[in-house]
Amino acid sequence: MLRIYNTLAREKQDFVPLRPGSVGMYVCGITVYDYCHLGHGRMMVVFDMVRRWLLASGFDVTYVRNITDIDDKIIRRAVENGETIGELTARFIRYMDEDLEALGVQKPDHEPRATQYVPQMLDLIGRLERKGLAYKAAGGDVNYAVRKFPGYGRLSGKSLDELRAGERVEVDTGKSDPLDFVLWKSAKDAEPEEVKWDSQWGRGRPGWHIECSAMSCALLGETFDIHGGGQDLQFPHHENEIAQTEGATGKRFVNTWMHNGFVRVDDEKMSKSLGNFFTLRDILREFDAEVVRFFLLRAHYRSPLNHSDAHLQDAKGALTRLYTALKGAPAGDAKVDWDEAYARRFKAAMDDDFGTPEALAVLFDLANEVNRGRRELAGQLRALGGVLGLLQRDPQAFLQAGGGEGLPDAEIQRRIDARLAARKAKNYAEADRIRQELARMGVILEDAAGGTTWRRG
RNA sequence: GGCGCGGUAGCAAAGCGGUUAUGCAGAGGCCUGCAAAGCCUUUUAGAGCGGUUCGACUCCGCUCCGCGCCUCCA
């Protein structure tokens, strides 16, 4: 039985989907105006892992991950760059796709964009207005009347009065309550025509929160199983989604809310505003993408995860151990034998709120067994790795992959042959000279019964 | 100020009321012409103070420290 920590309940709960055997899952994607950083990467990899585990558990999964392609930052950036919103977002969507593909993140079943769902958003706003939950303010914006929604604050554990007492809530004169949020922003003259839609409340564009309510309902229905996103979306974004959707439908919106922890740098949240972020692009130039994925799955998804080169280096060493155990094992698609003891441990770990650290520990135990001579378990190791989107490459290809500035493979082979000749002639001084020379260039030789192999260290 | 999360060995990171987590690093050994890899053995834990218990890293309370949300943010 799969158990998931539900933010709404603040505890792990048995996961029971609405319709037996199938799961509807929505995850808040990113706003496309810049490169993805490692924090985005973590969210993407974590929910990719969740989806893969649901599939491996036999569920029929519909996975929706949106793209926010209209918002203040996008508009500002496009104006700065002197390009259209469409050009800017198309470019960063392409970069995102490239980064995610490298990380082994599979495409969601649906990847709706906010700009494609404006009619659905307007419909939702209309319903909210008819129920008295939305009102048009003096400035022309349509706002959500937070006080009119009884459950507001349940997800984030905040009460309206506590929020009110906070010093950081800015005062906006157009709002009846400082905590009200915008559903529809009235168009400003300075803004490009591209961001103006007609509506019964006048020309304008959607507020941020409404898009997720509209898109999730359109693709998964008014009530669905799992909604995920980064911890920072818990409030206000997800709180507002609940208010909007449940306010309009009168039904329960989402059963299970999942939030992944932050990536940190020096114990501080990695974020755009702090400027301490590392883009996936830059990291992937230095580290193998699978190493990055492994690094991200090595921590539990709800725990904070510190980023540094040393940690990534450590992850590389660990993943190398797994691939080393796989050396010589037949490639191809191994299937998991779920009755086998290690697989059962793996499953128990994953069923306990997606315990990837424990699941990976099982993989290392399995590697040890393989190294001790139980070669028949290599397929199981590879197959279980595959459940997490790992270990699917040819081991040799992984072990020999590396920096672009290294020696070409053919040159390495030539020197290995020269060393072999020296060894045959018992000229060990020359053989060792070649080994050390290669070692200085990051190439490690391994003599085995079947011949000499090499890898990059 | 309000709400919440966490403090585990040199580093990273889990589960668990009593039995080796795991990876990297360190030490010794086996193997090797020498190595590497692997295997075997092994050193480093559970912020502090109380409490519950036959027994606590694991449950409860307090203290200290760190982090997050309360504003755009994965």
Side-chain angles (χ1 to χ4, degrees):
Chain A
M1 178 58 131
L2 173 62
R3 290 174 64 77
I4 303 179
Y5 183 89
N6 186 354
T7 306
L8 198 53
R10 270 168 248 299
E11 64 178 14
K12 289 182 199 171
Q13 298 177 323
D14 289 347
F15 177 68
V16 181
L18 244 35
R19 278 164 294 142
S22 78
V23 178
M25 162 169 158
Y26 184 94
V27 169
C28 291
I30 64 160
T31 302
V32 281
Y33 71 104
D34 206 341
Y35 295 106
C36 291
H37 64 234
L38 188 59
H40 299 120
R42 183 179 195 189
M43 176 272 288
M44 295 290 187
V45 167
V46 160
F47 288 105
D48 179 67
M49 171 278 290
V50 167
R51 177 220 217 162
R52 284 175 191 253
W53 183 243
L54 291 168
L55 287 169
S57 302
F59 291 108
D60 193 18
V61 181
T62 304
Y63 178 32
V64 181
R65 191 188 64 216
N66 75 297
I67 292 175
T68 298
D69 62 351
I70 175 69
D71 109 306
D72 290 357
K73 290 184 293 272
I74 292 175
I75 295 169
R76 197 185 323 129
R77 184 64 61 88
V79 169
E80 274 167 24
N81 291 355
E83 62 185 332
T84 65
I85 274 81
E87 283 162 353
L88 177 80
T89 57
R91 193 168 71 254
F92 283 108
I93 288 170
R94 195 169 73 243
Y95 294 151
M96 173 184 78
D97 286 343
E98 289 167 6
D99 293 342
L100 295 186
E101 191 186 346
L103 287 173
V105 173
Q106 295 172 336
K107 287 292 230 175
D109 298 296
H110 301 279
E111 199 171 23
R113 301 179 190 183
T115 52
Q116 300 164 335
Y117 284 80
V118 174
Q120 288 87 340
M121 296 186 222
L122 291 172
D123 177 63
L124 210 47
I125 296 169
R127 288 164 77 182
L128 289 171
E129 190 180 45
R130 284 193 291 281
K131 292 201 171 189
L133 289 164
Y135 62 94
K136 188 166 177 177
D141 291 351
V142 181
N143 293 330
Y144 189 100
V146 150
R147 292 261 163 200
K148 301 266 175 66
F149 182 73
Y152 196 82
R154 220 173 69 230
L155 177 70
S156 52
K158 299 178 189 307
S159 79
L160 282 166
D161 295 316
E162 282 162 359
L163 284 165
R164 238 185 134 85
E167 294 149 27
R168 299 170 75 187
V169 178
E170 68 182 82
V171 180
D172 181 334
T173 46
K175 293 175 179 173
S176 327
D177 186 289
L179 293 164
D180 288 351
F181 58 91
V182 188
L183 296 165
W184 188 254
K185 296 187 176 190
S186 65
K188 312 286 180 296
D189 290 342
E191 290 170 350
E193 283 306 299
E194 209 184 348
V195 303
K196 293 172 184 170
W197 283 265
D198 287 320
S199 87
Q200 61 183 106
W201 300 279
R203 303 250 295 158
R205 60 190 166 93
W208 174 37
H209 313 292
I210 194 69
E211 65 177 71
C212 288
S213 290
M215 294 186 282
S216 59
C217 285
L219 293 162
L220 295 171
E222 294 183 344
T223 302
F224 57 94
D225 299 295
I226 298 175
H227 190 130
Q231 221 156 51
D232 44 4
L233 297 188
Q234 198 175 313
F235 187 91
H237 184 57
H238 289 161
E239 197 71 70
N240 292 351
E241 274 187 59
I242 293 173
Q244 290 164 341
T245 315
E246 297 194 352
T249 67
K251 295 184 219 160
R252 167 114 180 186
F253 176 38
V254 169
N255 281 336
T256 304
W257 285 89
M258 293 181 66
H259 293 95
N260 66 277
F262 298 129
V263 173
R264 298 179 178 179
V265 179
D266 297 330
D267 289 320
E268 273 193 328
K269 175 184 174 184
M270 177 183 290
S271 73
K272 286 282 171 66
S273 29
L274 286 170
N276 62 348
F277 60 92
F278 291 75
T279 66
L280 287 173
R281 227 134 252 252
D282 288 341
I283 291 169
L284 292 175
R285 251 191 289 279
E286 295 237 16
F287 291 94
D288 186 283
E290 189 173 350
V291 167
V292 177
R293 184 179 176 98
F294 176 88
F295 167 70
L296 293 171
L297 292 176
R298 218 179 172 197
H300 185 86
Y301 76 92
R302 284 190 283 117
S303 302
L305 174 61
N306 259 86
H307 160 72
S308 75
D309 272 15
H311 294 160
L312 246 8
Q313 206 58 53
D314 191 71
K316 180 184 177 181
L319 186 58
T320 297
R321 176 168 163 82
L322 294 180
Y323 265 118
T324 302
L326 247 26
K327 241 164 89 171
D333 300 331
K335 272 201 73 181
V336 177
D337 171 9
W338 289 108
D339 292 326
E340 183 274 327
Y342 286 95
R344 287 213 298 268
R345 267 180 66 202
F346 183 97
K347 176 173 161 49
M350 291 299 288
D351 274 346
D352 184 11
D353 196 29
F354 308 97
T356 55
E358 178 66 20
L360 288 172
V362 173
L363 261 39
F364 285 100
D365 287 345
L366 213 34
N368 180 252
E369 287 279 22
V370 171
N371 288 334
R372 287 167 64 180
R374 294 191 61 190
R375 301 298 303 171
E376 75 278 8
L377 285 172
Q380 187 76 325
L381 171 56
R382 181 192 288 277
L384 287 171
V387 171
L388 297 175
L390 298 168
L391 302 180
Q392 298 309 290
R393 285 194 272 167
D394 171 47
Q396 176 141 310
F398 173 83
L399 295 169
Q400 297 186 345
E405 66 246 41
L407 285 178
D409 293 6
E411 175 59 20
I412 292 169
Q413 194 52 53
R414 218 179 51 72
R415 297 190 191 195
I416 287 174
D417 292 343
R419 176 170 167 274
L420 187 64
R423 288 180 73 205
K424 279 228 172 83
K426 302 259 193 238
N427 184 356
Y428 292 121
E430 170 65 4
D432 290 349
R433 191 193 63 74
I434 294 173
R435 178 204 290 292
Q436 280 155 22
E437 189 176 67
L438 285 170
R440 272 198 300 279
M441 287 180 284
V443 175
I444 298 161
L445 299 188
E446 298 181 338
D447 297 328
T452 299
T453 56
W454 63 275
R455 65 189 169 90
R456 289 204 162 88

